[in-house]
């Protein structure tokens, strides 16, 4: 049995407004991105799928 907290759940701590995010836009055609794609994609369709250009309705299965 785990003892319950007297104060209830704690609210999440907020970050200060002067904290900058380190996320930058990545260039999907950069040499390092293309090298990574070379190792993970098996064909042109996989390449496009990994870059966000997949075929529409590709996940639907055929009905018997």
């Amino acid at each position: 049995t785990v003892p319950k907290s007297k104060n209830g759940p704690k609210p999440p701590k907020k970050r200060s407004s002067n904290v900058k995010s380190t996320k930058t836009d990545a260039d999907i055609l950069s040499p390092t991105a293309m090298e990574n794609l070379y190792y993970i994609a098996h064909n042109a369709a996989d390449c496009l799928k990994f870059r966000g250009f997949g075929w529409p309705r590709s996940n639907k299965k055929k009905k018997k």
Side-chain angles (χ1 to χ4, degrees):
T1 62
V2 178
K4 294 184 178 181
S5 175
K6 293 179 183 179
N7 299 332
K10 294 181 180 179
K13 293 182 180 180
K14 294 184 179 182
R15 291 184 172 182
S16 63
S17 61
N18 61 358
V19 174
K20 295 180 181 179
S21 76
T22 58
K23 188 175 181 180
T24 60
D25 292 334
D27 180 17
I28 63 171
L29 297 176
S30 69
T32 51
M34 294 305 284
E35 182 180 0
N36 183 33
L37 184 64
Y38 174 81
Y39 289 112
I40 65 171
H42 299 290
N43 53 37
D46 278 347
C47 172
L48 292 172
K49 183 179 173 185
F50 289 134
R51 292 297 184 233
F53 300 102
W55 295 99
R57 298 173 293 195
S58 65
N59 291 337
K60 291 188 177 182
K61 295 182 179 179
K62 294 180 180 178
K63 293 184 180 179
K64 291 185 178 181

